[in-house]
Amino acid sequence: WDETHFGKMGSYYINRTFFFDVHPPLGKMLIGLAGYLSGYDGTFPFQKPGDRYEQHNYIGMRGVRLCRPVSSWLAFLCLSIQMLELSKSLPAALLTAFILIFDTGCITLSQYILLDPILMFFLMGAVLSMVKCNGCADRPFSASWWFWLSLTGVSLAGAMGVKFVGLFVVLLVGLNTVYDLWDLLGNLSLSLVMFGKHLLARVLCLIVLPLALYTAMFAVHFAVLNRSGPGDGFFSSAFQSQLIGNNLHNVSVPE
C-alpha cells in the first residue's frame, strides 16, 4: 500500500499537480525526480496495491536510480561509523555492516517506492558526520571541522525533510552538542570569546543551516506543484487562486 501511496505522490510532482500529505516533501520530490530522469511520464494511476505497471517505466521510481544505491550506501556508512570513530575495530565494523547487508527488512525496503531507505541514509549520514566532527575536536575551526559540522546540518535537514521521525536524530545531535559545549565551558584554558565562537558556529551549522534548507524544500515544493489537484481544499481561497486549473484561479480574493 505504501508503494501505491508514494508512487502516486511522485506522479503528482511529475505532473506538477498540487496535493496534501502528512510527510515533508523531500523524499517524495526525490522519488518523482528519479521517475522523471528514468523516463516515467506520471500517467500510472496507482489505484490499488498489486496493479501491474504494464508499459509504464517504473524502474527508476522503484530504486535503480535512488533507493537501491541509497541502501547500498547504508552498509558503507555503518562501516565508517563503527570503524573510524566508535569501536575502531575492523572485525566489529565488518560484522555490523554484514548484518545490515543481509537484513531482510532493509533488502525489502530497498526494492519498492518508499521513503524509508532515503530516511535511513540521512539518519546515518547525520550520525557519521557528527562522530567525524567530534574526531576533529582537537583542531576546531579547521576546514575538515567546518566540513563535517556543516554536513551534519545538511543531513539533519535531509532527515527532517523526508519524515518527521527524523527529529530523533536531531535530538541525538542536540544532546551531543550540549555535552560538547558544556565540556568546552568547563575548560578554563578556553576564553569566553572562543567559547562564543564555538557556540555561534554550532548555531549557524546545526540550527540556521538545517532550517534554511528545510524551508527551501517547501519553496521548491510549492514552486513545482502549481496545478490544481486533490489537496486544494486544505488551503485558503487565496492560495487556491494561484493554482492553474482551479475554479478560483486568478480570481481576486479579498483579505
Side-chain angles (χ1 to χ4, degrees), residues 71-94:
S71 297
S72 65
W73 273 95
L74 296 181
F76 172 75
L77 291 174
C78 188
L79 178 69
S80 301
I81 293 170
Q82 278 280 8
M83 184 175 70
L84 296 178
E85 298 299 333
L86 298 182
S87 68
K88 298 187 183 298
S89 168
L90 181 58
L94 289 173

Side-chain angles (χ1 to χ4, degrees), residues 157-227:
M160 289 188 301
V162 175
K163 277 188 175 183
F164 287 123
V165 73
L167 288 171
F168 284 106
V169 79
V170 175
L171 177 62
L172 173 65
V173 173
L175 291 174
N176 177 79
T177 303
V178 170
Y179 175 82
D180 189 29
L181 289 173
W182 181 256
D183 188 55
L184 290 172
L185 186 61
N187 185 355
L188 299 180
S189 64
L190 193 71
S191 67
L192 286 178
V193 174
M194 185 59 66
F195 175 79
K197 291 181 179 179
H198 276 278
L199 177 62
L200 181 61
R202 285 158 176 79
V203 168
L204 289 175
C205 293
L206 301 180
I207 297 178
V208 177
L209 177 61
L211 288 178
L213 292 175
Y214 186 75
T215 305
M217 296 172 198
F218 280 92
V220 175
H221 169 79
F222 287 114
V224 172
L225 303 182
N226 62 352
R227 300 182 182 276

